[in-house]
Amino acid sequence: ESGALNKVERILNSGLAPADIAHLIESSPPKARKVLWDLVDKELEGEVLQYLSEDLQAHFLSDLSAEELVDITSDLDADDVADILQQLPERVTQEVLDAMDQQDRTRLEQVLGYPEDSAGGLMNTDTVTIRPDITLEVVMRYLRRHPTLPEMTDNLLIVNRNNEFIGILTINKLLVSDPNQTVREVMTTDARVIPATMQDTDVAKLFERHDLVSAPVVDAEGKLIGRITIDDVVDVIRETADHSLMSSVGLDEEEDTFAPALKTSRRRAVWLGINLLTALAASAVIGLFDKTIEQVVALAVLMPIVASMGGIAGSQVLTLVIRGQALGHLSSANFRWLFNREIIVAGINGVLWAAVIAVITLLWFNDPGIAAIIGAAIIINLLVAAVTGAALPLILKARGIDPALAGGVVLTTVTDVIGFLSFLGLATLFYL
Amino acid sequence: ESGALNKVERILNSGLAPADIAHLIESSPPKARKVLWDLVDKELEGEVLQYLSEDLQAHFLSDLSAEELVDITSDLDADDVADILQQLPERVTQEVLDAMDQQDRTRLEQVLGYPEDSAGGLMNTDTVTIRPDITLEVVMRYLRRHPTLPEMTDNLLIVNRNNEFIGILTINKLLVSDPNQTVREVMTTDARVIPATMQDTDVAKLFERHDLVSAPVVDAEGKLIGRITIDDVVDVIRETADHSLMSSVGLDEEEDTFAPALKTSRRRAVWLGINLLTALAASAVIGLFDKTIEQVVALAVLMPIVASMGGIAGSQVLTLVIRGQALGHLSSANFRWLFNREIIVAGINGVLWAAVIAVITLLWFNDPGIAAIIGAAIIINLLVAAVTGAALPLILKARGIDPALAGGVVLTTVTDVIGFLSFLGLATLFYL
């Protein structure tokens, strides 16, 4: 037993990269996680920690003292330390800050001063800055005085004596240019500069669209305060994408695959409760027509088809529009075109599937009345689904509600209610 | 009119980056796209093209001759040209290859020899290689002979005279080290090397986990054949994430937000048709119990609740497991734990919501029999949903079926059928 543990400990601490250790911990059930974490070397703990999800960070950090936290985080980038500290109670954060040296504290406080989902919260403070009037030869000598450069340094940042950002010198340019030229002669002044208040998803779009590896971050006065690197942007992209996927079923994008049963049950229960309200609304609509169903029981057999086809068609539109919003494709200028297109598509597919379903109904129940009614209801519900699916994300977003989270529930409520209402309502008019 | 067009043309070709032009085109309805594309300068067309989705690439390319294609693609990386050529008919691809100069053709054929979704299909061929026995001073002089270095060059690749990969010299190390040292003295030999046959999603995991900017690609004999850069990896991450989201409603991850109505209708129709089969299966189950419903019409009112709660609970599990698969968290070793946890969660939430729904039913219909039956059906369906949601992605994946695409449909079929079967079946036993 203890021999096996020793072996695991050796593999953990010598064979694996911190990211791999973190991955191993994330891929383990709760008990195994605790065992693995206890086996990780003290010097590696900080590195491993930054690759763990926020839930797990908070879990492991809660056992540590302020001194241990300072130790663990001393080798990390300011943005990663800031992310970790934000998992802690206010009081502990203050203790950790107090225990740090002056320089680290100042840097960290700068990052902590910005929201976690802004460029300021995403940035590192490990910039390599130079002045414009020196030669490249001098720049090279200056760099050689560093034991190493910050990771992902693909350009040097040029500032004046007030630390105002002037431009960048790409490493690429530095390497191919004549060393006797000055920085000013070869620098790039139209580089993409990121204001500290920019939303992290906009930062990601900028990086993605312009293939950036790193970009300088400036404050409101144009002073250089840090830089953002692609590794942190990749995390934003991953989280944004996971958010769309997980929110649609009421889960968090950081949802822990191996969270304990009780915690999982509690989180899931909320979503089931919200959806029960949707289902009850649908049931209430059906309840309005119980007399009709008693007379024509075929209606009860067929009614889920109308609701379900509307739900499917609507969620296609909804998903397309939500993704279009996320990619920045949709604006008020082109929304009208999209809206009209969706009405046409719903019309075409409505008529097509109304015909198919009417024929099936006719063959099944041999009742032309019901066949005509279900066909009409399908067309109505597909049109309503298209209008709802297209307009809902914009309405929700304008009200500050996350379309990825609420869109599906609202849409299903609408398509269920309209589906049952149109089908059973038309049947009531016809049969009673 | 033509004055306005001139203005747009000026803005397009002098003010915007190619990625921004591509974004503008993607954000426009079909007619405006054609106008915008015709305004783009010939020299910019290739650059713009590589940022467009595959659908749009194919659309614009279909108008061009082989010579025009060679012109347009001459400034692009081999992997981007390969992606573009793969949109074209075989015959045109051959024409374009024939019209290229020898060096470009050889490079391109190397990339085209690998599947689009492998490391080989993702790589660029623009490597900067050096030998291990020269000094850093010589490396610097060698680099200065280049007018520019390939984008995202964060390391130089070291090969022997047989072009076999030996190691990397990071630019970081090059800049901080004593120029009199040799490459061999400062090189990294344990760098992550990517086999050309590696799956692109695995490449993405490697980049993400180890914060890489670029990595060398080798063939089966260990010879260096190219390198992969983070910008292409970001595209893979984005596409993989979009795939999970869009597949769940039967759409393609490259789905064009502004595709014309007819094309859109055709694509959506297929998904609606598949889902109609699901709905018909559910209806058939209800049809088995039409006598029971005729007697107790409250069953028709309540039955959507049972099916819907099962569908919601199941899709939570399904989404969690599919994401766990994508992140590489799930293996046969930890699956049993997850499976058991899901059974427990379903049990807890099953009992909780069965109680709530039973109480609501009792208050609504004042019939303890129906209240007990719906409670039992909820528990049964939530347990079945958990088992299906957890096991389905593994079963589908083992059979080579994409869980993101098929998982939702199969799950809904199961929860609908079991939901109606358990509720109406129990009621039939009880009332008839």
Side-chain angles (χ1 to χ4, degrees), chain A residues 158 192 234 288 300 428:
Chain A
I158 308 160
R192 317 230 159 232
V234 166
L288 296 175
T428 305

Side-chain angles (χ1 to χ4, degrees), chain A residues 20-253:
Chain A
D20 292 324
I21 301 177
H23 184 253
L24 198 63
I25 293 176
E26 297 236 351
S27 305
S28 303
K31 273 184 205 155
R33 280 178 179 169
K34 178 89 181 81
V35 175
L36 287 172
W37 174 249
D38 288 342
L39 292 177
V40 174
D41 271 355
K42 277 274 168 260
E43 311 91 82
L44 282 176
E45 279 183 351
E47 287 271 7
V48 172
L49 209 54
Q50 66 165 313
Y51 290 104
L52 292 174
S53 70
E54 295 190 354
D55 263 18
L56 278 181
Q57 283 181 5
H59 179 69
F60 291 135
L61 289 174
S62 59
D63 298 339
L64 300 177
S65 69
E67 287 74 37
E68 286 176 305
L69 283 170
V70 173
D71 260 13
I72 278 188
T73 53
S74 57
D75 296 330
L76 301 182
D77 290 336
D79 64 325
D80 293 322
V81 179
D83 286 348
I84 289 175
L85 289 190
Q86 273 152 359
Q87 309 305 314
L88 300 172
E90 190 75 36
R91 186 185 49 79
V92 183
T93 306
Q94 199 50 55
E95 271 181 55
V96 175
L97 284 174
D98 290 344
M100 280 184 167
D101 71 36
Q102 179 61 42
Q103 194 193 8
D104 283 352
R105 184 162 65 236
T106 312
R107 286 181 170 191
L108 194 55
E109 281 171 345
Q110 200 155 33
V111 177
L112 283 170
Y114 292 97
E116 209 182 339
D117 63 350
S118 71
L122 204 62
M123 72 184 178
N124 299 328
T125 50
D126 57 355
T127 51
V128 181
T129 57
I130 52 175
R131 292 290 163 77
D133 299 313
I134 56 177
T135 65
L136 301 187
E137 178 68 46
V138 174
V139 172
M140 293 281 210
R141 280 212 305 274
Y142 168 69
L143 293 181
R144 253 175 244 132
R145 292 216 306 269
H146 294 70
T148 178
L149 300 179
E151 285 188 32
M152 313 222 166
T153 299
D154 67 329
N155 47 53
L156 306 174
L157 306 174
I158 308 160
V159 293
N160 66 18
R161 61 187 67 239
N162 294 323
N163 199 35
E164 283 157 355
F165 177 77
I166 299 175
I168 63 170
L169 170 63
T170 66
I171 297 290
N172 191 328
K173 200 90 177 196
L174 173 66
L175 288 172
V176 299
S177 299
D178 175 358
N180 296 317
Q181 288 184 291
T182 65
V183 169
R184 194 182 294 282
E185 286 173 299
V186 297
M187 71 183 184
T188 310
T189 51
D190 61 350
R192 317 230 159 232
V193 186
I194 296 178
T197 51
M198 187 186 265
Q199 186 76 20
D200 59 357
T201 46
D202 290 329
V203 173
K205 272 181 213 154
L206 210 63
F207 268 71
E208 218 177 327
R209 208 175 293 165
H210 301 288
D211 296 344
L212 304 178
V213 170
S214 78
V217 178
V218 296
D219 67 12
E221 281 94 49
K223 291 196 177 162
L224 179 72
I225 54 173
R227 68 188 187 110
I228 292 177
T229 50
I230 182 74
D231 53 329
D232 293 320
V233 172
V234 166
D235 292 343
V236 172
I237 293 173
R238 160 76 63 201
E239 275 167 30
T240 311
D242 273 357
H243 174 76
S244 300
L245 182 69
M246 302 292 274
S247 292
S248 67
V249 292
L251 300 175
D252 193 89
E253 65 265 26

